[in-house]
Amino acid sequence: TETLFESEMFGAVKGAYTDLNHDKKGRFELASGGTLFLDEIGNLNLAMQSKLLTALQNRKIMPVGSTKEVSIDIRLIAATNMNLEEMIQNGDFRQDLLYRINTVEILLPALRNRPEDISILTDHFMDKYVKKYRKPTMWLESGSIQKLIKYNWPGNVRELQHAIERAVIMSETSEIKSEDI
């Protein structure tokens, strides 16, 4: 919601809303001097886009319930899987915000278009989840790897990550077989 977005991004002062009994710094202030990553920026509604644009242009924010601006110094990284140019044409995304955030654009092809990355990512996720769930050393049988490479991955890397996490959790042996995927 717009109210939650403002509070999370810009912070809020004590008493700004029910049960807030202390000042709360927002993401912009917490990231000041560093980097702020906004994932799925294409999902913001126009009102939130406007507030984001104002903060980025002025390099100042106004915490909810405050009368004092807070200066910020952030590097912004934003990501989306939406076509922002198309959204601009449809009136769903502000062109001026795109110009503000689009200093350097990195287009990353879908996972299905870069199957050579699947085994690298799989190794990374296996290591991560074996440690997280305190499992013994685990590995994928070759049939599992082939199955992963052939799959279309409509959910991209997040879907692969979830599939590996589920396989690690559910596997009762050290070897993850293709039927476990």
Side-chain angles (χ1 to χ4, degrees), residues 1-168:
T1 64
E2 190 172 335
T3 307
L4 181 59
F5 174 81
E6 278 189 273
S7 175
E8 280 299 308
M9 293 295 113
F10 308 133
V13 296
K14 178 180 176 179
Y17 50 87
T18 308
D19 295 332
L20 183 61
N21 52 15
H22 62 281
D23 288 354
K24 175 186 168 195
K25 289 185 178 184
R27 303 292 177 176
F28 274 92
E29 192 173 355
L30 292 169
S32 194
T35 302
L36 179 63
F37 174 63
L38 297 180
D39 196 10
E40 297 303 342
I41 196 166
N43 290 336
L44 292 176
N45 69 33
L46 290 170
M48 290 183 251
Q49 291 174 36
S50 178
K51 291 174 187 203
L52 176 60
L53 177 62
T54 300
L56 294 172
Q57 283 180 306
N58 298 337
R59 297 213 162 273
K60 293 181 181 180
I61 56 167
M62 181 79 72
V64 176
S66 179
T67 57
K68 296 180 184 173
E69 290 183 323
V70 176
S71 293
I72 54 163
D73 176 22
I74 61 139
R75 172 181 47 212
L76 180 71
I77 297 176
T80 186
N81 63 1
M82 302 172 105
N83 183 330
L84 296 181
E85 294 288 345
E86 188 176 292
M87 291 179 70
I88 289 168
Q89 296 302 315
N90 294 335
D92 296 324
F93 199 84
R94 293 180 59 118
Q95 188 172 36
D96 50 356
L97 177 57
L98 179 61
Y99 292 149
R100 175 62 62 189
I101 65 173
N102 199 23
T103 305
V104 175
E105 183 176 4
I106 299 171
L107 297 175
L108 188 60
L111 186 57
R112 70 183 145 274
N113 297 328
R114 47 192 177 98
E116 65 279 3
D117 290 351
I118 291 173
S119 64
I120 296 167
L121 289 165
T122 299
D123 288 345
H124 169 72
F125 294 136
M126 287 283 293
D127 289 344
K128 177 179 179 175
Y129 294 118
V130 162
K131 288 175 188 165
K132 179 178 179 179
Y133 296 110
R134 298 183 182 110
K135 294 273 194 156
T137 301
M138 298 180 84
W139 61 90
L140 293 170
E141 72 169 359
S142 61
S144 298
I145 296 168
Q146 290 309 309
K147 186 174 185 178
L148 293 171
I149 289 171
K150 289 178 183 176
Y151 185 65
N152 194 33
W153 299 110
N156 278 307
V157 175
R158 287 186 183 134
E159 184 181 5
L160 173 63
Q161 180 178 5
H162 183 72
I164 298 302
E165 181 177 19
R166 181 175 48 246
V168 167

